[in-house]
Amino acid sequence: MSERLEDIAEAMVATGQGILAADESTGTIKKRFDQIGTENTEDNRRDYREMLFRSTEAMNYYISGVILFDETIRQKAADGTPLVELIRKAGAVPGIKVDKGAKPLAGFPGETVTEGLDGLRERLAEYYELGARFAKWRAVIDISEDDGLPSSTCIQANAHALARYAALCQEAGIVPIVEPEILMDGPTAAHDIETCYEVTEWTLNTVFSELFQMDVMLEGIVLKPNMIVPGKNAPIQAAPEEVAELTLRCLKATVPAAVPGIAFLSGGQSDELATEHLHLMNAAGSLPWKLTFSYGRALQQAALKAWGGKPENVAAAQAAFLHRAKMNGLAAKGEWQKALESA
Ligand code: 13P
């Protein structure tokens, strides 16, 4: 496979394919395993992820890349094959989460800045050796209208860190996934869809300004934004058509056409809505960039439930994963239909 950043980025957003976000930290995967009553051990984490990466049809046809956590990029399957090798054999690009998480922003109660820049150059060099060809860094922006959040300091600090991360990635021959997430399920999350639009537009404009300052090559990144949705606790929820329309309007106003692709996070949307929103945007006509998925929860929830931590359920879990991967693959081409969900 080509090692040019532009080619890797293009492969990550190949038509009808998207990214599997399987980079839950040890703490986050514990929350997922708690839901199915499974102990959070290193072997269980390995078995679960090996099950996903060995889902041949899903991986071969619908998954272009997989985001891994530090532990997973070093792990071997039960038969000794490195998990990275399973991903590569399926024709997908291995990627790695490199941020160290969203930490409280000093002086700004309720807000966070994502850390992990110190030593990042050295860590990227090691991850490259381990096979990673793209990376992910997630900035988190919370809307709390009563508290006047987000602050411009929070947006600026996070955008600056994202741009410094992106520049280091490109120096290392690694495509940065640039992920500024405006939370839909934050501590209050009662904001309406217009507020999400305004904060997302503000954030994306700030992020692209910082990327320009850091001389990041836009052809060699993938943007991972939230969709424009009301907060989870908002009294008025939005029709899928409205989400699609406002998300497209916001992205067209802020994301340069030089960016090869946009891969959305699911952020707490239900599986089917995350698919329907993506479909509606792709069905709306031609766009300057590819629009696809980089889902964690919306790709894995059904599979996780079907698996339930039991080896005898592996086939059922792989079937559930294939179904979601296929539905999202179709949505990435604007070819999904509700009737296919139960077919
Ligand atoms: P969700 O799709 O569950 O939001 O996860 C995507 C992700 O990678 C968040 O950083």
Side-chain angles (χ1 to χ4, degrees), residues 141-147 149 182-193 195-196 229-237 267:
I141 311 288
D142 188 30
I143 298 174
S144 174
E145 289 174 311
D146 288 348
D147 301 317
L149 307 187
I182 317 305
L183 293 180
M184 66 175 280
D185 60 358
T188 56
H191 55 274
D192 58 23
I193 193 166
T195 306
C196 178
V229 288
K232 218 171 181 152
N233 305 323
I236 303 174
Q237 289 298 317

Side-chain angles (χ1 to χ4, degrees), residues 15-273:
T15 305
Q17 299 194 337
I19 296 165
L20 166 63
D23 59 320
E24 299 86 358
S25 63
T26 309
T28 301
I29 197 85
K30 179 181 185 314
K31 288 189 215 155
R32 311 279 185 263
F33 280 7
D34 283 349
Q35 292 166 1
I36 56 164
T38 296
E39 208 188 332
N40 187 24
T41 63
E42 191 173 336
D43 279 355
N44 284 341
R45 293 193 290 272
R46 191 269 317 274
D47 290 349
Y48 171 65
R49 286 162 171 155
E50 180 178 346
M51 177 275 289
L52 294 175
F53 307 159
R54 283 196 194 274
S55 300
T56 319
E57 194 179 340
M59 292 291 297
N60 284 352
Y61 292 106
Y62 307 112
I63 302 297
S64 56
V66 181
I67 318 175
L68 301 168
F69 186 59
D70 181 78
E71 173 185 271
T72 323
I73 201 170
R74 303 168 193 281
Q75 264 174 335
K76 291 189 167 67
D79 69 0
T81 314
L83 293 183
V84 169
E85 206 41 51
L86 294 182
I87 294 166
R88 260 203 231 108
K89 276 197 190 127
V93 187
I96 181 78
K97 183 224 298 286
V98 300
D99 69 65
K100 298 261 188 188
K103 304 287 163 60
L105 179 61
F108 291 81
E111 298 197 287
T112 61
V113 64
T114 299
E115 296 187 351
L117 288 172
D118 288 355
L120 182 56
R121 176 177 276 123
E122 292 73 24
R123 291 195 292 126
L124 285 167
E126 190 198 3
Y127 287 138
Y128 187 96
E129 288 305 312
L130 290 167
R133 290 298 176 270
F134 73 90
K136 172 188 123 170
W137 178 290
R138 172 174 174 257
V140 182
I141 311 288
D142 188 30
I143 298 174
S144 174
E145 289 174 311
D146 288 348
D147 301 317
L149 307 187
S151 66
S152 60
T153 305
C154 173
I155 290 179
Q156 191 64 47
N158 276 293
H160 181 79
L162 272 169
R164 285 187 55 200
Y165 140 81
L168 281 164
C169 284
Q170 292 192 337
E171 179 189 271
I174 287 179
V175 169
I177 289 187
V178 174
E179 180 179 7
E181 175 174 7
I182 317 305
L183 293 180
M184 66 175 280
D185 60 358
T188 56
H191 55 274
D192 58 23
I193 193 166
E194 282 80 19
T195 306
C196 178
Y197 185 103
E198 280 166 28
V199 174
T200 305
E201 182 185 43
W202 179 18
T203 302
L204 290 176
N205 275 325
T206 311
V207 167
F208 280 100
S209 161
E210 287 290 326
L211 291 172
F212 175 73
Q213 291 293 328
M214 295 293 164
D215 208 17
V216 171
M217 181 183 65
L218 296 184
E219 291 80 357
I221 74 164
V222 170
L223 179 72
K224 176 163 172 168
N226 51 284
M227 295 182 197
I228 305 300
V229 288
K232 218 171 181 152
N233 305 323
I236 303 174
Q237 289 298 317
E241 290 74 15
E242 189 182 7
V243 170
E245 189 195 328
L246 289 182
T247 304
L248 279 183
R249 194 189 304 163
C250 187
L251 294 173
K252 283 179 183 170
T254 53
V255 185
V259 173
I262 297 172
F264 292 104
L265 58 95
S266 59
Q269 297 182 37
S270 74
D271 297 0
E272 209 174 305
L273 263 182

Side-chain angles (χ1 to χ4, degrees), residues 284-307:
S286 87
L287 298 167
W289 359 253
K290 294 281 191 58
L291 270 195
T292 189
F293 57 93
S294 174
Y295 295 160
R297 283 163 285 180
L299 261 180
Q300 293 186 53
Q301 242 149 216
L304 185 72
K305 220 172 131 207
W307 179 60

